[in-house]
């Protein structure tokens, strides 16, 4: 089983409250990655 498959199974096993908390965390995580990419692009480099 790949790491991604393990993550998918773990997420699928979350209760609704845990899934909501995970979704909130993941959304913030993606926003942080986007901010870093925008900053890097503004400095003329790629991440």
């Amino acid at each position: 089983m790949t790491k991604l498959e393990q993550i998918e199974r773990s997420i699928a096993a979350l209760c609704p409250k845990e899934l909501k908390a995970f979704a909130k965390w993941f959304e913030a995580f993606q926003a942080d990655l986007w901010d870093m990419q925008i900053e890097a692009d503004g400095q003329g480099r790629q991440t």
Side-chain angles (χ1 to χ4, degrees), residues 3-20:
K3 187 183 281 190
L4 178 56
E5 290 169 330
Q6 291 173 336
I7 292 168
E8 288 171 345
R9 285 184 181 205
S10 294
I11 292 169
L14 295 174
C15 72
K17 183 177 179 181
E18 292 170 323
L19 184 57
K20 185 176 181 179

Side-chain angles (χ1 to χ4, degrees), residues 19-42:
L19 184 57
K20 185 176 181 179
F22 170 76
K24 183 176 179 180
W25 171 84
F26 192 70
E27 183 178 341
F29 177 76
Q30 288 183 301
D32 289 344
L33 290 177
W34 179 252
D35 290 344
M36 287 188 294
Q37 182 63 51
I38 295 296
E39 185 177 322
D41 290 348

